[in-house]
Amino acid sequence: MLSEDRQQPQIRCLLLTIFAASIGGTFQYGYNLSIINAPTIFIQKFINETWTERYGTQLEKQVITMFWTFMVAGYSVGGLVGALIAGPMAVRFGRRNLLLLSNVFILVGALLMGLSRAVKSFEMILIGRLFAGINAGVGMNINPMYLGESAPKEIRGMVALSFAPFTAAGIVLGQTMGLGEILGTEELWPLLLASCAVPSLIQLLTLPWCPESPRYLLIDRENENKCMKALKRLRGDVDLTTEMDELLEEQTALKGQNMKGLCDLFQDHSVRWQLIITLVLGSAIQLCGNDAMYFYAVYVFTAAGIPNEKIQYATIGTGCCEFITAVTSNLFIDWIGRRKLLMGGYSLMVGCGILFTISLTLQDKVSWMSYLSMICIFASILSFGIGPAGVTGVIPMEIFDQTARPAAYVINGSLLWINLIIVGMTFPFIVEGLGSFCYVPFICLSFLAALFIGIFLPETKGKTFLEISEEFYRRNFKEPVRESSDL
């Protein structure tokens, strides 16, 4: 009974750390990704009215669409900027402190978007989306890194992957807030865009009560006392001798090594396979076609006979699918393992993609094919949530050591945003050129990703960071592993 009482502070502190880091981290990514969809027509009307009031002429439809495209793309551009600055800033300020500092971007963005209609400036929406993207870019990189470095190895996967349910929850809440019954109206859309300030304020109130990453304090800052204090807050009143010995062993192995930059990673033979894995997984998460499924959702729901006014509720169902599987994956990652979840997720997406292509091809000929298409959309999103959606963000944290991890996340995050931009810009042309076979390129890429994972990705479940580093040392140099005393 006494042992249980001693564990309660540990559980509370760990849960608070997960919540506080994620509510202003990856939750913001999902929320800001989805809230922009509902007020599309209202914002386009606002652009035209503002332009007409300024210059006395109305904009052509193509020009309005161009301005709208810039607003949507501005979020991805900001995300890329955030991903690029996240690594160096995480080394300088620390993981927790950087998450706190990045709230400046989202608060400025929320203020600009919220006041845009009052001051009659649609440009403020574009700038606000850019700032929101910077915050999301930082959060997507630092959130899993901070949680993974703070977690005990036995549940490291579950703790690090807890950012994924928050991402999906952000998408669902953003879709819900955009309903016409809530904030998705012509009068309230500025408030909808500015509502991203609420999660930011929650993080500012909660995250300062959480400790900094123990690994960062010991290895980067070389402060053993602060590291021990952080561990005690996270673990409670338990024997920390074994874990501290592992940390000190890792510190000794990295003694004398400088923090690696982007160029260092590409030139360092000791991280060759880690880099290859990161490049493949960081690209596959956007090139697997999950966003394409979302793109086709409205069309398929309409063909299935769902009334236009009800489609927005069906769309929320797609977000709920991703949330359910993210939670499920979070619970089983330390039991099933990272490799199986990733390989299984991409393999299932291949199967769903094949059926989806068949159903699209026959949709005009067979009446019930639209229902099969709808099932395929939900099944594909469920498959994506099983592994790729979350596990991809955990892998760089585990396979790179402390000196290379921030730069690795710069690469992983940059690939996410670059490929998001590429898919967003090219998919309409793919649809126009391939028609009902538009999903075939994504099927091929998902198959190649599953094949690569099955052959080349080692399982990291239950291993210390030092054990993982030693395994990759053998793979990179094809030599017997060095003894810890020689590291």
Side-chain angles (χ1 to χ4, degrees), residues 460-476:
T460 57
K461 178 183 68 174
K463 298 176 182 176
T464 66
F465 286 117
L466 193 57
E467 289 170 342
I468 296 169
S469 295
E470 290 172 345
E471 184 173 347
F472 274 103
Y473 179 85
R474 290 193 294 270
R475 178 177 294 193
N476 288 320

Side-chain angles (χ1 to χ4, degrees), residues 186 188 322 357 473:
E186 190 167 5
L188 297 176
E322 192 167 331
T357 301
Y473 179 85

Side-chain angles (χ1 to χ4, degrees), residues 21 41 122 125 184 203 243 262 307 314 343 365 369 405 459 471:
I41 297 174
F122 61 83
I125 302 176
Q203 185 178 71
E243 185 169 4
L262 289 177
M343 188 166 57
K365 300 176 182 178
M369 276 295 169
R405 194 171 295 130
E459 182 54 68
E471 184 173 347

Side-chain angles (χ1 to χ4, degrees), residues 8-280:
Q8 287 180 1
Q10 168 205 355
I11 296 171
R12 285 199 296 266
C13 185
L14 190 59
L15 290 176
L16 178 63
T17 301
I18 292 170
F19 172 81
S22 301
I23 193 67
T26 56
F27 179 89
Q28 287 281 29
Y29 166 75
Y31 188 74
N32 284 288
L33 196 65
S34 59
I35 60 171
I36 196 66
N37 295 323
T40 299
I41 297 174
F42 305 134
I43 294 176
Q44 289 180 348
K45 181 181 177 183
F46 169 65
I47 292 170
N48 192 35
E49 289 176 348
T50 304
W51 188 274
T52 303
E53 188 174 336
R54 286 181 191 172
Y55 306 108
T57 58
Q58 289 195 348
L59 288 170
E60 295 182 2
K61 186 177 180 180
Q62 296 90 333
V63 179
I64 296 173
T65 303
M66 181 187 68
F67 278 125
W68 169 250
T69 303
F70 286 156
M71 290 177 183
V72 175
Y75 183 65
S76 298
V77 173
L80 178 58
V81 173
L84 290 171
I85 66 174
M89 291 181 71
V91 176
R92 181 173 180 180
F93 298 107
R95 285 48 163 159
R96 184 199 65 171
N97 292 340
L98 178 54
L99 285 172
L100 289 169
L101 286 171
S102 70
N103 285 293
V104 172
F105 297 113
I106 195 69
L107 290 174
V108 171
L111 183 65
L112 289 170
M113 292 186 287
L115 295 176
S116 58
R117 189 173 65 180
V119 301
K120 299 180 180 180
S121 172
F122 61 83
E123 296 88 349
M124 289 172 65
I125 302 176
L126 172 59
I127 300 171
R129 290 286 293 174
L130 184 70
F131 276 108
I134 295 174
N135 170 266
V138 171
M140 288 295 287
N141 278 12
I142 305 304
N143 197 160
M145 189 193 309
Y146 171 52
L147 295 180
E149 290 181 357
S150 301
K153 70 176 182 180
E154 294 80 10
I155 56 170
R156 186 177 63 231
M158 184 175 68
V159 173
L161 189 59
S162 58
F163 77 88
F166 278 90
T167 306
I171 292 173
V172 174
L173 185 60
Q175 293 170 334
T176 305
M177 296 300 289
L179 293 174
E181 294 85 347
I182 306 179
L183 295 178
T185 65
E186 190 167 5
E187 296 76 24
L188 297 176
W189 66 260
L191 186 59
L192 173 64
L193 298 184
S195 62
C196 58
V198 176
S200 174
L201 294 173
I202 293 173
Q203 185 178 71
L204 288 172
L205 290 172
T206 55
L207 192 56
W209 297 96
C210 304
E212 179 57 89
S213 158
R215 269 185 172 76
Y216 172 79
L217 293 172
L218 179 65
I219 299 174
D220 292 61
R221 290 303 179 196
E222 299 183 347
N223 194 321
E224 188 174 338
N225 289 331
K226 285 188 176 181
C227 172
M228 180 59 78
K229 289 179 181 178
L231 279 175
K232 285 182 178 178
R233 289 184 62 189
L234 289 165
R235 309 288 185 265
D237 189 12
V238 297
D239 185 7
L240 298 171
T241 304
T242 302
E243 185 169 4
M244 197 64 195
D245 286 345
E246 290 174 355
L247 282 172
L248 290 169
E249 188 178 3
E250 186 179 349
Q251 181 191 38
T252 302
L254 299 173
K255 200 75 173 178
Q257 295 188 33
N258 296 321
M259 297 301 297
K260 293 182 175 70
L262 289 177
C263 294
D264 298 324
L265 288 191
F266 285 97
Q267 296 171 1
D268 190 348
H269 192 72
S270 67
V271 296
R272 181 184 60 176
W273 271 107
Q274 295 96 310
L275 184 60
I276 292 171
I277 289 169
T278 300
L279 290 172
V280 172

